[in-house]
Amino acid sequence: MSGIYARRIAVLVSSAALAATTGLLTAPSAQAAMPTPVAASTARTYLSQLTVQAEGSSTGYSRDKFPHWITQSGTCNTREVVLKRDGTNVTQDSSCAAVSGTWYSEYDGATWTAASDLDIDHMVPLAEAWRSGASSWTTAQRQAYANDLTRPQLIAVTDNVNQSKGDKDPAKWLPSRTAYQCTYVRAWVHVKHYYNLTVDAAEKSALQSVLNGC
């Protein structure tokens, strides 16, 4: 693991700890959308800098090794923060659960009015991250990754669409809503570059193909 990456994760972990101790009375602020990924030109540069190698093994992988959803502030965990951020006119109860609101799923263009119809997708899935380098991380580092609200890594989308994506990379799955595919691959490359994760040859080719049309 690179020194730069290790320092990044250390900052993430310490920041999360600070938030846990000092931000308990502060409600999460609505951003109205997933953080904007880097521009296509930057994504192309980032992609050229990623290490290309065959995916590692899934041996030893478990979602439990990426603790989520952690408390972000008060009674609000990461899922609830993203639901509030990505929805419109979202009302939460005293336990921070979204009881009303409207959500537009960028992947398929569907609109929902029940939070139970939404999954919070990890842009680069946890299992994909495991096979691309995260298997060597500490549990604290994987927790920071699984709950990252700063990078374009978490987004509220239609639950069965998220389930159809599973842990597939862009060589095997892209959003059916073609208008969102550029944003999707920009976000994918942004996350992989920040966390120093690898890409396989087919994945890189698929990313380049979409980015070339952005």
Side-chain angles (χ1 to χ4, degrees):
M1 183 183 300
S2 71
I4 292 175
Y5 173 66
R7 288 194 296 275
R8 284 172 172 171
I9 278 293
V11 170
L12 275 175
V13 174
S14 62
S15 296
L18 181 64
T21 57
T22 64
L24 296 180
L25 301 178
T26 306
S29 59
Q31 298 179 41
M34 178 183 76
T36 303
V38 295
S41 57
T42 303
R44 285 191 284 270
T45 299
Y46 281 4
L47 182 58
S48 71
Q49 296 169 348
L50 295 178
T51 299
V52 180
Q53 65 181 46
E55 279 194 353
S57 171
S58 292
T59 301
Y61 168 73
S62 166
R63 288 179 68 84
D64 292 340
K65 293 185 178 179
F66 292 80
H68 64 288
W69 305 110
I70 64 169
T71 299
Q72 292 289 342
S73 65
T75 58
C76 301
N77 68 25
T78 308
R79 170 182 165 83
E80 292 148 353
V81 170
V82 176
L83 284 172
K84 175 74 170 178
R85 182 197 73 189
D86 289 2
T88 302
N89 297 324
V90 177
T91 301
Q92 297 170 307
D93 64 18
S94 59
S95 64
C96 207
V99 293
S100 66
T102 302
W103 291 268
Y104 178 78
S105 172
E106 295 283 6
Y107 288 1
D108 58 333
T111 298
W112 303 98
T113 55
S116 59
D117 288 319
L118 284 299
D119 276 356
I120 307 305
D121 181 41
H122 288 93
M123 180 65 62
V124 178
L126 305 182
E128 166 71 20
W130 178 270
R131 297 189 298 265
S132 304
S135 60
S136 66
W137 298 353
T138 65
T139 299
Q141 289 165 344
R142 288 192 287 264
Q143 175 176 296
Y145 176 86
N147 297 275
D148 188 354
L149 294 165
T150 305
R151 262 58 55 182
Q153 165 68 340
L154 299 172
I155 185 171
V157 295
T158 304
D159 53 4
N160 62 358
V161 171
N162 181 51
Q163 290 151 25
S164 72
K165 170 183 171 178
D167 63 356
K168 301 180 184 75
D169 69 34
K172 300 173 182 174
W173 191 92
L174 286 168
S176 60
R177 184 170 161 257
T178 55
Y180 197 70
Q181 289 181 3
C182 273
T183 303
Y184 184 84
V185 298
R186 285 161 47 211
W188 183 283
V189 172
H190 185 153
V191 171
K192 281 224 162 176
H193 184 268
Y194 183 84
Y195 285 99
N196 197 28
L197 296 171
T198 62
V199 290
D200 64 45
E203 175 188 355
K204 181 174 182 178
S205 178
L207 290 164
Q208 283 178 324
S209 179
V210 177
L211 285 171
N212 286 342
C214 293

